């Protein structure tokens, strides 16, 4: 929708020296959806319960604010009034706090280039943001502790780790789940923690620009978390793309399962939505390199140069329109 708006209504704004994709960033349709959502909140919410449409519209607006580094309006903060409950509500509160931290960080970076605040004030605010981001990372870990047993995953090591398939496989270790829906939730968790720790890295540069021992220790902690989450996400990709088939009873007491590789069939487009969690902002080059650490050095250089290239390289392009037939609610619930 944004590309349509820019191409049709603002063609004169296109800069020939700027990447065509980068010029297509109109969000007028987001602002319109936000206005409609506010109308429901102000005039209809007291008499009509939130529908799935209302819930998912708000989630889309949260994604928009996350990617645009905008603050959420006060009336949008409480997810319960928009139909969120249980584990969904717990995760929703974490995402709302993440949006808040990223917006404040963006404002702080702008203030750094001006004269609005002293160096001491900037450092103090950055220290507070770092603590909040660290608390968010812990909250995400606590969130997974509440998952039902059936949501657990199993790790498998390919029987012949060298050579193992390189297309759609990024490690000799792969993860399997009892349902694709559970894989989508875990992928969301991995991506959320990478986003939070990436934000912490940016905050640390502000709070301790000279990287003393304390800052270096925290930086290594963030990088370690990001690397672990990226590896777990990469290990889940083959299952999400149906490149492995698990035989046996997953999560059973016997643990007698085996996997069969499926390297010949083409990827079904709707499966891509399980791989890249939609609420998470576009990864920055630092995260992309971590995700793609199993690629060749040449591929890593290309990825780091242009953050948009990593999707096609990893072959996990996000599907914009398709959902798994007959189970739409399962796959949009965590969107």
């Amino acid at each position: 929708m944004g590309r349509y708006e820019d191409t049709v209504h603002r063609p004169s704004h296109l800069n020939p020296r700027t990447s065509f994709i980068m010029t297509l960033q109109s969000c007028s349709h987001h602002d319109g959806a936000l206005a409609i959502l506010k109308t429901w909140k102000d005039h209809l919410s007291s008499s009509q319960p939130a529908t799935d449409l209302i819930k998912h519209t708000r989630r889309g607006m949260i994604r928009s604010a996350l990617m645009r580094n905008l603050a959420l309006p006060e009336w949008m903060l409480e997810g319960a009034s928009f139909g969120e409950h249980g584990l969904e509500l717990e995760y929703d509160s974490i995402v709302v706090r993440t949006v808040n931290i990223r917006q404040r960080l963006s404002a702080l970076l702008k203030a750094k280039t001006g004269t609005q605040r002293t160096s001491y004030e900037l450092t103090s605010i950055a220290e507070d943001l770092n603590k909040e981001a660290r608390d968010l990372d812990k909250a995400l870990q606590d969130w997974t502790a509440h998952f039902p047993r059936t949501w657990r995953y199993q790790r498998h090591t390919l029987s012949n780790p060298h050579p193992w398939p390189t297309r759609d496989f990024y490690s000799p270790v792969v993860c399997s789940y009892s349902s694709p829906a559970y894989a989508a939730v875990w992928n969301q968790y991995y991506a959320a923690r990478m986003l939070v720790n990436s934000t912490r890295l940016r905050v640390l540069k502000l709070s301790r620009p000279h990287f003393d021992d304390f800052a270096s220790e925290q930086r290594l902690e963030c990088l370690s978390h990001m690397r672990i989450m990226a590896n777990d996400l990469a290990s889940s990709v083959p299952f999400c793309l149906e490149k492995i088939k698990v035989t046996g009873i997953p999560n059973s007491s016997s643990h007698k399962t085996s996997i069969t590789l499926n390297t010949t069939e083409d990827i079904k487009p709707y499966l891509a939505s399980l791989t890249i969690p939609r609420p998470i902002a576009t990864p920055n080059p630092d995260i992309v390199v971590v995700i793609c650490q199993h690629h060749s050095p040449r591929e890593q250089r290309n990825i780091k140069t242009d953050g948009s290239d990593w999707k096609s390289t990893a072959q996990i392009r996000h599907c914009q329109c398709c959902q798994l037939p007959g189970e739409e609610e399962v796959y949009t619930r965590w969107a």
Side-chain angles (χ1 to χ4, degrees):
M1 183 65 76
R3 295 180 183 180
Y4 173 83
E5 290 172 354
D6 279 318
T7 303
V8 175
H9 300 293
R10 299 196 303 172
S12 61
H13 289 198
L14 299 180
N15 187 340
R17 297 183 179 181
T18 305
S19 168
F20 181 71
I21 296 299
M22 292 301 294
T23 63
L24 303 181
Q25 296 179 344
S26 174
C27 293
S28 298
H29 58 294
H30 292 193
D31 299 334
L34 186 65
I36 294 173
L37 189 65
K38 190 175 191 304
T39 298
W40 174 85
K41 176 65 175 175
D42 292 343
H43 304 290
L44 300 174
S45 60
S46 58
S47 59
Q48 298 181 9
T51 63
D52 284 344
L53 178 61
I54 292 296
K55 179 169 63 174
H56 291 296
T57 299
R58 175 177 172 273
R59 292 180 183 181
M61 295 303 95
I62 292 176
R63 287 198 301 271
S64 177
L66 186 66
M67 292 184 288
R68 297 159 66 189
N69 290 325
L70 299 178
L72 291 173
E74 188 74 24
W75 57 268
M76 266 187 66
L77 297 181
E78 181 49 58
S81 58
F82 291 89
E84 304 288 1
H85 59 87
L87 286 172
E88 294 176 347
L89 180 59
E90 188 175 350
Y91 179 76
D92 178 83
S93 66
I94 295 174
V95 174
V96 167
R97 292 165 60 192
T98 302
V99 173
N100 176 270
I101 288 179
R102 288 175 62 84
Q103 185 275 327
R104 289 160 60 195
L105 173 60
S106 178
L108 195 61
L109 290 171
K110 292 179 182 178
K112 182 182 178 182
T113 60
T115 58
Q116 296 96 326
R117 297 183 182 275
T118 65
S119 176
Y120 174 79
E121 288 176 324
L122 290 173
T123 301
S124 178
I125 295 173
E127 291 280 5
D128 291 339
L129 289 178
N130 179 48
K131 182 180 182 303
E132 290 184 44
R134 195 172 189 178
D135 291 343
L136 272 182
D137 190 57
K138 178 63 166 58
L140 281 165
Q141 297 175 66
D142 293 341
W143 178 58
T144 62
H146 302 154
F147 287 0
R149 287 177 57 87
T150 53
W151 292 19
R152 294 180 181 178
Y153 58 87
Q154 284 189 304
R155 296 183 186 273
H156 310 267
T157 302
L158 300 183
S159 57
N160 187 12
H162 185 75
W164 39 270
T166 55
R167 181 179 178 181
D168 308 318
F169 290 79
Y170 310 99
S171 166
V173 176
V174 294
C175 295
S176 67
Y177 304 80
S178 57
S179 166
Y182 305 153
V185 177
W186 279 103
N187 286 349
Q188 185 138 309
Y189 163 72
Y190 303 143
R193 286 198 64 194
M194 282 191 286
L195 178 65
V196 169
N197 280 279
S198 172
T199 303
R200 280 192 67 199
L201 286 177
R202 297 173 65 191
V203 170
L204 284 170
K205 289 182 180 179
L206 283 177
S207 63
R208 298 174 182 266
H210 302 295
F211 276 109
D212 54 20
D213 291 344
F214 177 77
S216 297
E217 180 181 347
Q218 294 207 40
R219 179 177 180 274
L220 290 176
E221 176 185 279
C222 292
L223 290 174
S224 175
H225 290 164
M226 291 171 66
R227 186 174 295 108
I228 292 171
M229 294 299 100
N231 286 338
D232 286 343
L233 178 58
S235 296
S236 299
V237 169
F239 176 86
C240 294
L241 300 183
E242 293 186 348
K243 290 300 179 180
I244 63 172
K245 181 179 180 181
V246 181
T247 57
I249 305 176
N251 300 323
S252 66
S253 57
S254 62
H255 298 288
K256 293 182 179 180
T257 60
S258 61
I259 60 171
T260 303
L261 303 186
N262 173 22
T263 58
T264 57
E265 295 185 13
D266 293 335
I267 297 173
K268 301 176 180 65
Y270 62 79
L271 295 175
S273 62
L274 301 181
T275 310
I276 296 300
R278 290 162 60 185
I280 305 305
T282 303
N284 63 38
D286 291 335
I287 300 179
V288 171
V289 172
V290 174
I291 290 176
C292 300
Q293 62 182 313
H294 299 294
H295 286 290
S296 68
R298 179 181 177 183
E299 288 175 321
Q300 287 193 15
R301 285 195 297 272
N302 292 338
I303 290 165
K304 191 171 183 179
T305 301
D306 183 357
S308 65
D309 287 344
W310 78 281
K311 291 185 179 180
S312 57
T313 301
Q315 296 181 356
I316 46 180
R317 187 176 298 278
H318 178 230
C319 174
Q320 295 291 337
C321 58
C322 300
Q323 300 292 340
L324 189 61
E327 297 188 37
E328 182 176 354
E329 174 63 18
V330 173
Y331 290 99
T332 57
R333 176 168 297 166
W334 301 94

